[in-house]
mmCIF file of all heavy atoms in Angstrom:
data_model
loop_
_atom_site.group_PDB
_atom_site.id
_atom_site.type_symbol
_atom_site.label_atom_id
_atom_site.label_comp_id
_atom_site.label_asym_id
_atom_site.label_seq_id
_atom_site.Cartn_x
_atom_site.Cartn_y
_atom_site.Cartn_z
ATOM 1 N N ALA A 536 94.456 151.038 -4.665
ATOM 2 C CA ALA A 536 95.444 151.412 -5.678
ATOM 3 C C ALA A 536 95.032 152.702 -6.388
ATOM 4 O O ALA A 536 95.866 153.585 -6.641
ATOM 5 C CB ALA A 536 95.610 150.277 -6.683
ATOM 6 N N ALA A 537 93.736 152.829 -6.690
ATOM 7 C CA ALA A 537 93.252 154.041 -7.351
ATOM 8 C C ALA A 537 93.396 155.261 -6.448
ATOM 9 O O ALA A 537 93.814 156.343 -6.882
ATOM 10 C CB ALA A 537 91.799 153.851 -7.776
ATOM 11 N N LEU A 538 93.052 155.110 -5.161
ATOM 12 C CA LEU A 538 93.192 156.217 -4.224
ATOM 13 C C LEU A 538 94.649 156.631 -4.059
ATOM 14 O O LEU A 538 94.966 157.830 -3.962
ATOM 15 C CB LEU A 538 92.595 155.828 -2.863
ATOM 16 C CG LEU A 538 91.069 155.670 -2.814
ATOM 17 C CD1 LEU A 538 90.628 155.169 -1.439
ATOM 18 C CD2 LEU A 538 90.385 156.994 -3.142
ATOM 19 N N LEU A 539 95.544 155.635 -4.015
ATOM 20 C CA LEU A 539 96.961 155.940 -3.887
ATOM 21 C C LEU A 539 97.462 156.713 -5.102
ATOM 22 O O LEU A 539 98.200 157.693 -4.972
ATOM 23 C CB LEU A 539 97.753 154.645 -3.718
ATOM 24 C CG LEU A 539 99.245 154.793 -3.395
ATOM 25 C CD1 LEU A 539 99.435 155.522 -2.061
ATOM 26 C CD2 LEU A 539 99.914 153.426 -3.346
ATOM 27 N N ALA A 540 97.056 156.284 -6.293
ATOM 28 C CA ALA A 540 97.468 156.992 -7.512
ATOM 29 C C ALA A 540 96.911 158.412 -7.537
ATOM 30 O O ALA A 540 97.599 159.367 -7.929
ATOM 31 C CB ALA A 540 96.999 156.204 -8.740
ATOM 32 N N LEU A 541 95.649 158.560 -7.096
ATOM 33 C CA LEU A 541 95.038 159.885 -7.068
ATOM 34 C C LEU A 541 95.758 160.797 -6.080
ATOM 35 O O LEU A 541 95.977 161.989 -6.337
ATOM 36 C CB LEU A 541 93.557 159.762 -6.701
ATOM 37 C CG LEU A 541 92.744 161.067 -6.665
ATOM 38 C CD1 LEU A 541 92.759 161.740 -8.037
ATOM 39 C CD2 LEU A 541 91.318 160.785 -6.216
ATOM 40 N N THR A 542 96.157 160.242 -4.925
ATOM 41 C CA THR A 542 96.874 161.031 -3.927
ATOM 42 C C THR A 542 98.192 161.547 -4.468
ATOM 43 O O THR A 542 98.557 162.718 -4.304
ATOM 44 C CB THR A 542 97.117 160.181 -2.663
ATOM 45 O OG1 THR A 542 95.864 159.743 -2.144
ATOM 46 C CG2 THR A 542 97.867 160.985 -1.606
ATOM 47 N N PHE A 543 98.954 160.668 -5.130
ATOM 48 C CA PHE A 543 100.221 161.086 -5.714
ATOM 49 C C PHE A 543 99.999 162.145 -6.797
ATOM 50 O O PHE A 543 100.792 163.086 -6.936
ATOM 51 C CB PHE A 543 100.956 159.881 -6.296
ATOM 52 C CG PHE A 543 101.747 159.123 -5.276
ATOM 53 C CD1 PHE A 543 101.343 157.861 -4.869
ATOM 54 C CD2 PHE A 543 102.895 159.667 -4.711
ATOM 55 C CE1 PHE A 543 102.063 157.159 -3.929
ATOM 56 C CE2 PHE A 543 103.629 158.964 -3.769
ATOM 57 C CZ PHE A 543 103.207 157.704 -3.367
ATOM 58 N N ALA A 544 98.929 161.958 -7.572
ATOM 59 C CA ALA A 544 98.662 162.926 -8.642
ATOM 60 C C ALA A 544 98.339 164.311 -8.069
ATOM 61 O O ALA A 544 98.791 165.335 -8.584
ATOM 62 C CB ALA A 544 97.513 162.431 -9.509
ATOM 63 N N LEU A 545 97.565 164.342 -6.971
ATOM 64 C CA LEU A 545 97.202 165.621 -6.375
ATOM 65 C C LEU A 545 98.380 166.286 -5.676
ATOM 66 O O LEU A 545 98.444 167.517 -5.565
ATOM 67 C CB LEU A 545 96.054 165.419 -5.378
ATOM 68 C CG LEU A 545 94.713 164.973 -5.991
ATOM 69 C CD1 LEU A 545 93.685 164.709 -4.894
ATOM 70 C CD2 LEU A 545 94.190 166.032 -6.966
ATOM 71 N N ARG A 546 99.334 165.482 -5.186
ATOM 72 C CA ARG A 546 100.461 166.037 -4.449
ATOM 73 C C ARG A 546 101.600 166.459 -5.356
ATOM 74 O O ARG A 546 102.569 167.058 -4.881
ATOM 75 C CB ARG A 546 100.963 165.013 -3.427
ATOM 76 C CG ARG A 546 99.975 164.721 -2.315
ATOM 77 C CD ARG A 546 100.571 163.775 -1.301
ATOM 78 N NE ARG A 546 101.764 164.353 -0.676
ATOM 79 C CZ ARG A 546 102.510 163.699 0.225
ATOM 80 N NH1 ARG A 546 102.170 162.465 0.579
ATOM 81 N NH2 ARG A 546 103.570 164.276 0.753
ATOM 82 N N ARG A 547 101.532 166.147 -6.637
ATOM 83 C CA ARG A 547 102.599 166.564 -7.548
ATOM 84 C C ARG A 547 102.618 168.083 -7.645
ATOM 85 O O ARG A 547 101.566 168.729 -7.776
ATOM 86 C CB ARG A 547 102.377 165.964 -8.939
ATOM 87 C CG ARG A 547 102.644 164.463 -9.024
ATOM 88 C CD ARG A 547 102.426 163.973 -10.441
ATOM 89 N NE ARG A 547 103.289 164.665 -11.389
ATOM 90 C CZ ARG A 547 103.211 164.517 -12.715
ATOM 91 N NH1 ARG A 547 102.284 163.718 -13.241
ATOM 92 N NH2 ARG A 547 104.041 165.165 -13.500
ATOM 93 N N PRO A 548 103.790 168.691 -7.590
ATOM 94 C CA PRO A 548 103.856 170.168 -7.696
ATOM 95 C C PRO A 548 103.382 170.624 -9.071
ATOM 96 O O PRO A 548 103.734 170.034 -10.095
ATOM 97 C CB PRO A 548 105.347 170.466 -7.485
ATOM 98 C CG PRO A 548 106.049 169.191 -7.836
ATOM 99 C CD PRO A 548 105.105 168.083 -7.449
ATOM 100 N N LYS A 549 102.571 171.658 -9.065
ATOM 101 C CA LYS A 549 102.047 172.167 -10.321
ATOM 102 C C LYS A 549 103.033 173.163 -10.931
ATOM 103 O O LYS A 549 103.637 173.985 -10.229
ATOM 104 C CB LYS A 549 100.688 172.850 -10.095
ATOM 105 C CG LYS A 549 99.614 171.914 -9.572
ATOM 106 C CD LYS A 549 98.297 172.646 -9.391
ATOM 107 C CE LYS A 549 97.213 171.708 -8.880
ATOM 108 N NZ LYS A 549 95.924 172.403 -8.683
ATOM 109 N N ARG A 550 103.204 173.062 -12.213
ATOM 110 C CA ARG A 550 104.089 173.997 -12.917
ATOM 111 C C ARG A 550 103.393 175.359 -12.996
ATOM 112 O O ARG A 550 102.219 175.464 -13.379
ATOM 113 C CB ARG A 550 104.386 173.479 -14.312
ATOM 114 C CG ARG A 550 105.179 172.163 -14.316
ATOM 115 C CD ARG A 550 105.399 171.694 -15.725
ATOM 116 N NE ARG A 550 106.142 172.707 -16.488
ATOM 117 C CZ ARG A 550 106.382 172.570 -17.789
ATOM 118 N NH1 ARG A 550 105.931 171.530 -18.470
ATOM 119 N NH2 ARG A 550 107.069 173.527 -18.427
ATOM 120 N N PRO A 551 104.120 176.425 -12.649
ATOM 121 C CA PRO A 551 103.477 177.760 -12.720
ATOM 122 C C PRO A 551 103.191 178.144 -14.155
ATOM 123 O O PRO A 551 103.913 177.776 -15.074
ATOM 124 C CB PRO A 551 104.543 178.674 -12.090
ATOM 125 C CG PRO A 551 105.841 177.948 -12.299
ATOM 126 C CD PRO A 551 105.499 176.484 -12.194
ATOM 127 N N LEU A 552 102.098 178.891 -14.303
ATOM 128 C CA LEU A 552 101.754 179.346 -15.643
ATOM 129 C C LEU A 552 102.755 180.396 -16.095
ATOM 130 O O LEU A 552 103.241 181.221 -15.304
ATOM 131 C CB LEU A 552 100.340 179.939 -15.643
ATOM 132 C CG LEU A 552 99.204 178.952 -15.332
ATOM 133 C CD1 LEU A 552 97.878 179.708 -15.226
ATOM 134 C CD2 LEU A 552 99.134 177.895 -16.423
ATOM 135 N N PRO A 553 103.143 180.401 -17.364
ATOM 136 C CA PRO A 553 104.099 181.391 -17.845
ATOM 137 C C PRO A 553 103.487 182.792 -17.797
ATOM 138 O O PRO A 553 102.295 182.995 -18.025
ATOM 139 C CB PRO A 553 104.360 180.933 -19.282
ATOM 140 C CG PRO A 553 103.156 180.167 -19.686
ATOM 141 C CD PRO A 553 102.679 179.505 -18.443
ATOM 142 N N THR A 554 104.305 183.755 -17.447
ATOM 143 C CA THR A 554 103.857 185.166 -17.449
ATOM 144 C C THR A 554 103.741 185.645 -18.880
ATOM 145 O O THR A 554 104.205 185.007 -19.823
ATOM 146 C CB THR A 554 104.850 186.039 -16.677
ATOM 147 O OG1 THR A 554 106.098 186.004 -17.372
ATOM 148 C CG2 THR A 554 105.048 185.507 -15.245
ATOM 149 N N ARG A 555 103.122 186.815 -18.994
ATOM 150 C CA ARG A 555 102.935 187.367 -20.347
ATOM 151 C C ARG A 555 104.271 187.683 -20.982
ATOM 152 O O ARG A 555 104.476 187.479 -22.177
ATOM 153 C CB ARG A 555 102.056 188.611 -20.276
ATOM 154 C CG ARG A 555 101.801 189.238 -21.636
ATOM 155 C CD ARG A 555 100.786 190.356 -21.548
ATOM 156 N NE ARG A 555 99.517 189.845 -21.025
ATOM 157 C CZ ARG A 555 98.469 190.626 -20.781
ATOM 158 N NH1 ARG A 555 98.562 191.951 -20.959
ATOM 159 N NH2 ARG A 555 97.351 190.100 -20.325
ATOM 160 N N ALA A 556 105.221 188.118 -20.125
ATOM 161 C CA ALA A 556 106.538 188.439 -20.680
ATOM 162 C C ALA A 556 107.231 187.176 -21.166
ATOM 163 O O ALA A 556 107.866 187.150 -22.218
ATOM 164 C CB ALA A 556 107.381 189.168 -19.624
#
Side-chain angles (χ1 to χ4, degrees):
L538 291 175
L539 187 62
L541 182 60
T542 301
F543 276 110
L545 294 176
R546 293 184 61 182
R547 288 181 59 187
K549 298 181 179 179
R550 295 178 59 185
L552 295 174
T554 64
R555 181 173 301 177

